[in-house]
Each structure stands twice: as structure tokens, then as C-alpha cells.
Amino acid sequence: MEMFIENAGFERLTQVWQHKEGSLVWPGPFILPPWLETWWQVFGSSYRPYLKIACSGREPVGIAPLKTCGTTVTFMGSADICDYQDFVVRKDCAGIFFTMLLDEIATGGFKRLELRHVKAGSAVMTNLVPVARARGFRVEVEPEASSFEIELPGTFESYLAALEKKQRHELRRKLRRLSGAGSPSFFFTGHETANDCCMDSFLGLFRLNQAKNSFMAPAMEQFFRLMARRLAGERLLRFGSLRLDNREVAMVIVFDYNNTVYLYNSAYDPAFSQISPGLMSKVLAIRESIRMNRRCWDFLKGEEHYKRYLGGQKVDLYGVEIEIG
């Protein structure tokens, strides 16, 4: 059946996603419509949306979540808060989808396609890059960042056993020290309780770290609050809270999507640094994710030491630039 590409708005993207139209797999939280629409609402004023849906008959088979600035086309989002992105495309339609999309971009007068932070197994790398090269376009692919992931086992003890001996002993010692400091507890909020009060608590802890204050500018706080409301409303976001004697000493924000828990951000009270609250909140969040039978833990983008320390395996992220013409 003949394929065609049409312009789309956020309402149409949301409809396709929520109603599971077609056999599309949405690869990660940073491409989901509530995320894209929130980013656009807060940060999109300098760009134009370039959202496209490809259909075969009435069935959606591909989605391009893009924006434009001048003659350059990029993913909708920004590298400081969108860890990695991709296209949504049915595998058997990927070749024709990207051929038609490149034609559409060229016809629109755009000269450059810049796609930041994509995985080796992404549709960008496995399908778009070969199609663009076959068309004779100049394509540059460069490693530019890394993320870290853990394949979660069935039990927390199995997780600890998979760590290197020194790391395992140190983590057990830190867990004992946490227990010896009082009465610790860790829990994830339910989706229905991931509310503004949770965000107030998180931001209060976040601002105790002076090095992070410049990041949480007013626009960024607006984004965090709106994003958390929308994603929690879609049952995609949880707050994790580490308490010691009923005092909140650390929190994490995670996305709970497609059997994977994504660690998006964290904060802790430096007054409790002797019990490593930031690290312990992540360890206990991993333990709780295993208890919930999730299969993967994703630390997301960044080379922070603790990610390797907690067993994360490196995943390379690439930047792709395609000159259209």
C-alpha cells in the first residue's frame, strides 16, 4: 500500500501513542508526546515544529519528532535535558520512510539535519544513515557521549553478586552504615502521588547543592514541574524518597517506562554526607526496581563515576550530521 507523510500536531501524536495506533515502538521517554509537548511549551519559542507522521493506508508507520531553526532540522528537545532520542518507525517501513522524509526535508529548503545523542541500535544509525549515504548526501557520524545501563536480575542479592568484589563489599558496608545511623526507609511514589508536593521536596533538596543552583533557572523549574505533572498523569514518572528517622535526606526522579527505570535526576541533603545519601538513594532505587520486576535500569547520559561503581555498562551515543542536497 502506498505510503504518505503528513504534518502532525501534538494532539495527533498523542492520539497515535495513547491508542497504540499501528505497530509502532516508542524508543524511550524523551520521544513520547507528553515529553515533547512540555519541552515545546517551555523552550520552543525560538524554533518551528516539524512533526511528521507517515501512514500506510490509515495505519501510522513512522513518526519524525523534529523542529527547525533557519535551514537546520533537529530533534525536538535539547541536549541538556533530553538524554537520547530517535525516530518512531516500523522496521519494515524504515527504508521508504527515511527516503521520503529526506525528500520532504530537501523540498522544504532545509540544508542540514543534525541529530544528537543517538544509540548504535537506533533507527538513525541502522536505517537513516545508510539511506542518506546511498542518496549521496554527506554524512558525518561521531561518538559524542555515553550512557550506562544495568540488566536487572531477579533479586537484589544477584545484583550485588554481579558487582566486582571490592564494590560489593563497599556497598554492603555503606548499607550497614545507613542502617546504623537510624531507621532508614526508601519508597517510590505511586503514579497518583507523584505530585507538586513531591516536586517541592525535590527542589528543596536540589537547591542545597550550590553547584546545581545555576541549572535550576526559572524556566527549568517550570519545565520540571510541568513535565512531572504530565508524565505522572500518564503513569510514567515516580519520585523515590530516602528517609532517615522520617526525615527526607535524598530523592530521585525516575521514568518507569517499557519495563525500564530511567534515572533522570537526583538530590540529597549534604548535611547527611556521612551516610552517602545520594549514592544510597540510587542503590535502594535499584533494589526497588528489581522488586517491581523491571528488567533494565538506565542511568542515562553522563560519565559520572558512580554509574560504573554501581555496575553500569557503557553505551556509546553518537552525533549524526547530514547535509541535504
Side-chain angles (χ1 to χ4, degrees):
M1 188 173 292
E2 185 177 356
M3 186 187 298
F4 61 92
I5 292 181
E6 61 185 8
N7 294 324
F10 293 111
E11 183 177 354
R12 176 63 177 135
L13 290 188
T14 300
Q15 180 184 31
V16 171
W17 171 61
Q18 289 183 334
H19 294 267
K20 297 180 172 59
E21 293 186 23
S23 51
L24 295 173
V25 177
W26 299 72
F30 305 107
I31 199 171
L32 298 179
W35 174 278
L36 297 176
E37 186 170 8
T38 303
W39 184 92
W40 181 259
Q41 181 174 336
V42 179
F43 298 113
S45 60
S46 298
Y47 305 93
R48 291 181 177 273
Y50 196 82
L51 303 172
K52 306 284 184 177
I53 291 183
C55 294
S56 179
R58 294 184 177 182
E59 182 179 358
V61 296
I63 293 173
L66 303 169
K67 66 181 188 300
T68 68
C69 183
T71 59
T72 299
V73 182
T74 60
F75 279 131
M76 183 170 288
S78 48
D80 56 341
I81 53 176
C82 304
D83 288 66
Y84 41 76
Q85 295 176 280
D86 199 4
F87 294 89
V88 182
V89 58
R90 208 173 75 185
K91 288 185 178 180
D92 62 324
C93 297
I96 188 170
F97 169 70
F98 285 119
T99 297
M100 294 177 67
L101 180 63
L102 289 172
D103 286 342
E104 184 104 352
I105 290 172
T107 301
F110 300 103
K111 304 298 184 184
R112 193 174 186 84
L113 182 58
E114 295 182 359
L115 305 172
R116 302 262 75 86
H117 300 155
V118 296
K119 292 183 175 182
S122 65
V124 172
M125 295 288 285
T126 59
N127 298 113
L128 173 59
V129 166
V131 167
R133 284 176 170 157
R135 296 283 297 276
F137 297 158
R138 189 173 71 83
V139 179
E140 293 184 3
V141 178
E142 296 288 344
E144 61 178 7
S146 301
S147 64
F148 289 81
E149 299 176 3
I150 303 170
E151 185 176 342
L152 295 177
T155 67
F156 185 62
E157 284 301 314
S158 297
Y159 160 72
L160 292 175
L163 299 175
E164 293 183 5
K165 182 177 180 180
K166 180 180 178 181
Q167 295 167 326
R168 182 167 60 251
H169 288 329
E170 286 185 358
L171 274 188
R172 290 189 187 279
R173 177 175 56 82
K174 289 179 185 294
L175 287 166
R176 289 194 298 269
R177 185 170 62 191
L178 175 63
S179 296
S183 298
S185 64
F186 179 90
F187 64 92
F188 277 135
T189 59
H191 300 293
E192 68 282 355
T193 57
N195 53 31
D196 287 350
C197 291
C198 294
M199 183 57 76
D200 289 340
S201 298
F202 176 83
L203 292 175
L205 289 172
F206 193 91
R207 291 195 171 102
L208 293 176
N209 187 330
Q210 296 299 318
K212 292 187 174 184
N213 271 339
S214 60
F215 173 78
M216 197 58 69
M220 191 63 71
E221 178 176 342
Q222 179 190 2
F223 171 78
F224 264 65
R225 288 185 179 278
L226 186 57
M227 175 272 295
R229 283 188 213 119
R230 284 182 173 161
L231 269 67
E234 297 290 351
R235 306 180 66 81
L236 296 170
L237 181 142
R238 299 178 187 270
F239 289 91
S241 174
L242 172 60
R243 294 176 177 268
L244 187 64
D245 296 331
N246 291 320
R247 177 169 175 175
E248 207 153 41
V249 298
M251 293 183 72
V252 296
I253 298 175
V254 303
F255 304 129
D256 185 5
Y257 173 68
N258 199 23
N259 224 18
T260 295
V261 177
Y262 299 82
L263 176 64
Y264 187 60
N265 217 311
S266 61
Y268 67 92
D269 188 340
F272 290 84
S273 59
Q274 72 277 7
I275 61 168
S276 307
L279 183 68
M280 288 296 95
S281 65
K282 298 173 180 67
V283 172
L284 296 175
I286 291 171
R287 185 178 71 180
E288 186 67 7
S289 299
I290 293 171
R291 189 194 67 79
M292 295 189 304
N293 295 317
R294 301 303 185 262
R295 296 273 65 91
C296 183
W297 173 275
D298 193 329
F299 286 106
L300 295 177
K301 186 179 64 185
E303 295 272 359
E304 293 88 344
H305 170 71
Y306 77 84
K307 297 179 180 181
R308 286 189 174 90
Y309 178 79
L310 295 181
Q313 300 298 306
K314 186 176 180 180
V315 177
D316 289 327
L317 303 175
Y318 298 86
V320 176
E321 297 184 2
I322 301 172
E323 290 194 5
I324 308 296

